[in-house]
Amino acid sequence: MNIDSGAGLLHRLTSYAPGREWDVPVDDPRVRHDLVPNDPRTLPPPVKLYPAGAKRIALPRDLSDPGASATAVLAGAPAPALPLDAAQLGRVLFLGAGVVRTAERAGRRILFRAAGSAGARFPLELYASTRGVAGIPDGVHWYDPEQHALVTIGPAATGAATTLIVTGVPWRTGWRYAERGWRHLYWDAGTVLAQLSAAADSTGLAPRIRSLFPDAAVSTLVGADGVHEYPLALLTFGDREPAIGPGGPAIPGDLAEVELPLCTAAQRAGDRDELGEPWPRGPELPEHPRSDSLDEVIRRRGSQRRMDRSRRLPRTVLDWPLTAALRGIRIPHWVAVHGVDGVPPGLYRWPDLSTPLHAGDLRDELLRIALDQALAGDAGYVVIAATEPAGLDDRGYRRAQLEAGLVEGRLHLAAYALGASATGMTFLDSEVPALLGENTDLTTLLFTCVGVPQYAARAGGTPGAPVAVRPVLPRLR
Ligand SMILES: Cc1cc2nc3c(=O)[nH]c(=O)nc-3n(C[C@H](O)[C@H](O)[C@H](O)COP(=O)(O)O)c2cc1C
């Protein structure tokens, strides 16, 4: 990875290190110094806005639960195929990105979505380019996550198979995290894809994820300008060619036009003009524990804000979630074990849990590396995704971040399915290679904490009927 341009430069300039607060920009003219993080006066709207006259299609709000258990779906067990109609498409969209909870904070209404998002910034948009979906005309549609409706923004695309397009709005997360928010776009896209693909798998819709696609064409397809919004990933139903060739211009919609030039450059450096193969799905797991249905687990999912460090997790709640979350994934993972029956505390390189790389209690060290956020020390274990930078080009970097996000999203579902809890976690980049005993170049991607919940969050609501909650705040050290 070239650390002097593109994604490598962004990674370097947005790396956290001790001695500099996370919201203080690094001393380099290529990052913006004129932005005030979390400034209520510049808060971007939570979703893209379209003209009132645009054609809207209400999706059925009554979601029938097909009943597939969350663990069966995560294990890759085949499910009977249901036809892709408006209700099924709506179910997949809702379970990936619908508004499930709302909260008031400092006079603002926050829309919590089905999948997690770093700092609850929810910087993604979701579009469906439909082909032969019963009840939905062929076309390009934006998903309205609050109303559970589609807004038609463009004509039918060329290509055969209905495809979901996940885009990112860098300013929506940059408003708090500045240029580091570009990494969050890919993390968050991973958590959304974990839930979209699980929902699609549970009704035999054969989701195919791609991270390599022609960026310019897909941007035109959904009306993204490549600066304030850009495409991150595709999910196609089935094996036929994705419907992504623009059939004409799209209604662009409205976004706050604040640019983070370092993010634009990182994104552009990875742009390509080819369609890649779908991601490998990984072999089906030979067995899976019992669990509630995927739909119930997704509605229950949240990010645990307080974990009980006095209680340990059973060994199966380490082995099974990691095995399931890493199906088909190529980036390496490590596990810092704090409190798991049958596994002595220490740091391990997955899947070898027999010999720790360092033995001993790492709670304080993880707390320090996670910027003093208590969850990293209170969890039963912390999963760490990191990769060698050698051979990683600008597109490969995007893919690695997306894979890490997908693993985080799947770990969440597996943990909640088995009665545990989880949360994503940020980190001091500079401190991770030494923790892992690796060379200092290692590119750290993402942490996920899994632990015993200290409280049960309220389950999320249904389409158009989110549940109002009072969020619990995490403890600092
Ligand atoms: C990639 C990612 C990184 C996250 N990092 C942190 C973190 O560093 N600290 C924290 O307390 N929560 C973290 N979270 C949890 C978010 O704050 C949480 O997802 C968000 O508030 C939405 O709440 P929900 O997941 O309960 O819907 C992270 C979540 C994701 C998906």
Side-chain angles (χ1 to χ4, degrees):
M1 188 165 70
N2 179 355
I3 58 167
D4 294 320
S5 72
L9 177 67
L10 182 138
H11 189 88
R12 176 161 68 82
L13 295 182
T14 61
S15 286
Y16 291 157
R20 181 169 58 83
E21 289 298 316
W22 66 272
D23 53 356
V24 174
V26 66
D27 185 13
D28 188 293
R30 289 167 291 192
V31 301
R32 284 189 65 162
H33 287 76
D34 57 335
L35 299 172
V36 178
N38 292 329
D39 183 350
R41 292 165 306 176
T42 59
L43 178 71
V47 294
K48 208 171 174 184
L49 302 171
Y50 285 94
K55 186 180 165 210
R56 296 181 76 86
I57 305 165
L59 292 164
R61 290 190 168 187
D62 186 13
L63 296 190
S64 73
D65 181 344
S69 85
T71 45
V73 174
L74 291 167
L82 293 182
L84 184 57
D85 57 13
Q88 281 312 321
L89 178 64
R91 173 178 167 272
V92 172
L93 293 168
F94 180 75
L95 294 177
V99 174
V100 292
R101 299 183 182 93
T102 60
E104 294 286 326
R105 199 179 286 160
R108 276 194 289 128
R109 186 161 175 261
I110 303 173
L111 306 178
F112 286 90
R113 315 279 286 266
S117 163
R121 298 303 309 139
F122 301 104
L124 308 182
E125 302 291 343
L126 196 51
Y127 302 84
S129 171
T130 53
R131 276 291 157 146
V133 178
I136 310 284
D138 286 355
V140 181
H141 316 274
W142 171 76
Y143 178 56
D144 178 337
E146 205 177 0
Q147 297 305 318
H148 194 55
L150 294 177
V151 175
T152 302
I153 61 157
T158 58
T162 295
T163 296
L164 307 183
I165 298 99
V166 182
T167 68
V169 177
W171 172 236
R172 213 182 285 153
T173 175
W175 175 78
R176 175 170 302 145
Y177 297 107
E179 288 83 356
R180 188 172 168 104
W182 188 74
R183 303 190 196 183
H184 300 196
L185 296 179
Y186 287 93
W187 296 347
D188 286 5
T191 70
V192 167
L193 285 168
Q195 295 191 190
L196 291 172
S197 56
D201 268 327
S202 68
T203 51
L205 289 172
R208 304 288 180 253
I209 295 172
R210 284 182 175 83
S211 54
L212 178 59
F213 50 81
D215 296 75
V218 175
S219 297
T220 303
L221 180 79
V222 298
D225 66 4
V227 173
H228 306 101
E229 179 186 14
Y230 21 77
L232 308 176
L234 308 180
L235 184 151
T236 300
F237 298 103
D239 290 318
R240 290 178 307 153
E241 184 201 352
I244 55 166
I251 305 173
D254 267 349
L255 287 171
E257 298 211 334
V258 180
E259 183 181 1
L260 297 148
L262 189 71
C263 299
T264 312
Q267 184 70 17
R268 293 243 166 97
D271 282 355
R272 301 287 183 264
D273 192 21
E274 63 193 288
L275 183 66
E277 289 297 314
W279 283 13
R281 294 172 53 74
E284 182 185 341
L285 304 186
E287 51 195 286
H288 54 267
R290 290 169 65 87
S291 79
D292 288 341
S293 75
L294 176 76
D295 296 42
E296 288 171 289
V297 169
I298 288 183
R299 286 195 38 226
R300 227 172 39 225
R301 188 216 67 83
S303 292
Q304 193 67 27
R305 309 289 65 201
R306 297 193 180 195
M307 293 180 184
D308 186 345
R309 72 147 73 197
S310 70
R311 292 176 59 202
R312 304 166 67 79
L313 290 169
R315 168 88 190 238
T316 46
V317 178
L318 169 61
D319 289 335
W320 198 84
L322 264 156
T323 307
L326 290 171
R327 282 180 53 230
I329 294 293
R330 282 164 290 191
I331 48 172
H333 283 75
W334 288 256
V335 198
V337 174
H338 299 326
V340 177
D341 289 338
V343 187
L347 185 89
Y348 299 82
R349 173 136 181 183
W350 179 260
D352 181 3
L353 295 180
S354 59
T355 329
L357 300 174
H358 323 289
D361 187 328
L362 291 168
R363 288 188 194 266
D364 287 348
E365 184 60 351
L366 265 287
L367 176 71
R368 182 182 78 80
I369 294 176
L371 287 76
D372 286 338
Q373 300 186 81
L375 287 158
D378 294 346
Y381 62 90
V382 180
V383 177
I384 299 168
T387 191
E388 283 291 335
L392 206 58
D393 67 4
D394 292 289
R395 192 63 171 222
Y397 178 88
R398 288 194 204 175
R399 179 188 169 118
Q401 295 286 12
L402 199 56
E403 279 194 45
L406 187 79
V407 170
E408 200 274 349
R410 290 173 174 174
L411 277 171
H412 249 96
L413 298 182
Y416 280 79
L418 300 184
S421 66
T423 185
M425 184 55 54
T426 202
F427 47 84
L428 292 169
D429 300 71
S430 64
E431 308 303 277
V432 182
L435 171 75
L436 304 183
E438 295 283 327
N439 76 55
T440 50
D441 282 349
L442 198 72
T443 303
T444 309
L445 300 166
L446 187 54
F447 284 20
T448 307
C449 308
V450 177
V452 178
Q454 216 169 50
Y455 64 92
R458 284 185 69 189
T462 53
V467 167
V469 293
R470 262 194 311 155
V472 178
L473 293 180
R475 276 189 313 117
L476 284 178
R477 185 187 272 283

